[in-house]
Amino acid sequence: MDTIKKDGCRMDIERIRADTPCGNIYMNHASTSVPPLPVIQAAGRYYDIIMRYGATSAKAEELTQKAYDLALKRTAGLIHAKTSEIAFMPNGSMGIGLIALGIPWKRGQNIILDEMSFISNAAPWFQIRDLYGVEIRYAPAKLPGRIDCQALESLVDRSTALIAVTHSANSLGVLQDVETAGQIAEEKKVRYLVDASGTIGAVEIDVTKLNCDYLAAAGRKYLRGPSGSGILYVRESSQPELRGSIPAWNSGVWDYRQGTFSYHRDMQKWNYGEKDYPAIFGLSEAVRYLEDIGGAVRVKDRIDLLAGRLICQLQAIPGLQIIGPEEAEKRAGVVGICMKGKSAREIALYLNSHNVGMMGHHFFCPGIQKLFQIEGVARLSLHYWNTEEEIDYVADLLLRLQKGV
């Protein structure tokens, strides 16, 4: 089961599988992955602390703060940010929504949204359109499933307030040229947001290279953190202009004499009461675990190897179409397929009935339906702890389904 990396290093898949005693063949990591046991144990450590000392005792608060500071350091390091630029979120959607509500919009402005976006990077901007009269412009995608950055640039004008791009399409995992989009935003002096929920943990992310003002990501997907975990990055220089949107005891200052409440000017404005410490503890351990097995670069190599094996076998199945690029390295571990005579739902039900965890859906990505003229895909999203044997098993099942065996 060991996989040899190009530089000769090995990923200890047997140890990783022992840390992940999953009872079925799981290929739905683009939705929610399976946390390794150390992550689950780390989340439980918060309850160990409060059971032993009481949540608001001096000792418990000291231990909790120490773990929280470590979580900030780890997650900031993961994306090459400062700790002062990170806030913990329950998911990626919350982060995008808070940025949407925080920008000081003016009527007549426009937002450029890529057509490959998932609903989480679309719905918040619809709300802003309805609240402030802001126009939404769609940057088109071109085959085999990437944003047309030249067309995106042509949409930018003096009224453009934001460019919002998804790092990888939810149903296909196609990696978008987010660095070029960031260069366009910098040249045009436009705010730039990246939705990295589908890529954090699967590929190397460096916010300084992306040159983004904001980045939101869920922890439960390729990072293998707990459900209810996520991060929001806001560039330090971009923080003061943003409004807070959830008044709470720790998001601002209440002047009870004047009867006013004012938000903090830094990342603290996105506190919203008691923090979800179990999720934060678990997310911190997920980052540590990722680094322990070799980091995102090593993970990408392993995922590409598995996806390449899967793509090669799928190409040999008559009547099966791989949606998007056929090069594994252009994806973040996700392969979307269609099959002649079978709906995406039928494919998913068949695989599910044979102990394979995956989904067949439209995945709330209408841009992909439009570009490829399809109703949806059966999505196989792989992770480093999947095995070659599992790939072969799934490919054989799809061949059997196509033959009607």
Side-chain angles (χ1 to χ4, degrees), residues 103-112 128-129 132-137 157-162 191 241:
I103 293 173
W105 302 101
K106 297 177 182 177
R107 187 170 294 276
Q109 291 179 323
N110 64 73
I111 300 166
I112 297 175
I128 295 306
R129 176 197 61 195
Y132 297 101
V134 171
E135 176 192 1
I136 295 177
R137 299 177 178 179
D157 61 22
R158 293 181 180 178
S159 297
T160 302
L162 176 77
R191 302 175 187 89
E241 74 158 356

Side-chain angles (χ1 to χ4, degrees), residues 33-55:
S33 191
V34 179
L37 287 172
V39 169
I40 296 170
Q41 291 161 355
R45 277 199 288 274
Y46 173 69
Y47 293 110
D48 291 339
I49 290 171
I50 66 171
M51 181 172 60
R52 184 166 189 151
Y53 301 106

Side-chain angles (χ1 to χ4, degrees), residues 313-324:
Q313 296 197 37
L314 296 181
Q315 288 171 329
I317 300 177
L320 187 148
Q321 179 186 5
I322 297 170
I323 308 299

Side-chain angles (χ1 to χ4, degrees), residues 3 5 10-11 13 16 29 78 198-204 221-224 286-287 289-307 328 331-333 382-386:
T3 294
K5 189 174 176 262
R10 290 179 180 270
M11 182 178 283
I13 300 301
I16 291 166
H29 307 283
L78 177 66
T199 51
I200 193 166
V203 301
E204 180 75 9
K221 299 177 186 263
Y222 278 95
L223 192 51
R224 303 185 69 195
V287 177
Y289 192 89
L290 174 66
E291 295 304 316
D292 184 55
I293 63 170
V297 173
R298 180 94 57 91
V299 166
K300 181 68 165 66
D301 285 344
R302 168 71 180 175
I303 290 174
D304 286 352
L305 184 145
L306 293 173
R331 299 172 178 266
L382 314 174
H383 214 332
Y384 62 83
W385 58 272
N386 288 121

Side-chain angles (χ1 to χ4, degrees), residues 16 18 75 82 97 146 157 167 174 183 211 242 290 292 301 303 361 385:
I16 291 166
T75 52
K82 302 174 185 176
R146 300 191 81 192
D157 61 22
H167 198 175
V174 180
Q183 291 168 5
N211 199 35
L242 297 175
L290 174 66
D292 184 55
D301 285 344
I303 290 174
H361 207 263
W385 58 272

Side-chain angles (χ1 to χ4, degrees), residues 67-124:
Y68 180 83
D69 292 342
L70 179 59
L72 277 177
K73 182 179 178 180
R74 284 173 172 170
T75 52
L78 177 66
I79 62 172
H80 302 273
K82 302 174 185 176
T83 57
S84 59
E85 296 173 321
I86 299 293
F88 293 111
M89 295 282 126
N91 47 57
S93 299
M94 174 72 89
I96 296 172
L98 292 177
I99 295 300
L101 293 171
I103 293 173
W105 302 101
K106 297 177 182 177
R107 187 170 294 276
Q109 291 179 323
N110 64 73
I111 300 166
I112 297 175
L113 174 65
D114 76 272
E115 276 197 329
M116 305 300 280
S117 278
F118 179 63
I119 188 173
S120 293
N121 192 39

Side-chain angles (χ1 to χ4, degrees), residues 114 116 141-142 144-149 165-180 192 194-205 210 222 296 300-301 303-304 307 323-325 327-335 368:
D114 76 272
M116 305 300 280
K142 57 184 179 180
R146 300 191 81 192
I147 303 164
D148 185 338
C149 285
V165 171
T166 298
H167 198 175
S168 74
N170 181 266
S171 56
L172 304 183
V174 180
L175 290 168
Q176 303 300 324
D177 192 356
V178 286
E179 287 192 26
T180 296
Y192 180 41
V194 175
D195 175 3
S197 283
T199 51
I200 193 166
V203 301
E204 180 75 9
I205 293 177
L210 298 183
Y222 278 95
K300 181 68 165 66
D301 285 344
I303 290 174
D304 286 352
I323 308 299
E327 300 92 339
E329 63 271 14
K330 293 183 179 179
R331 299 172 178 266
V334 181
V335 181
I368 289 170

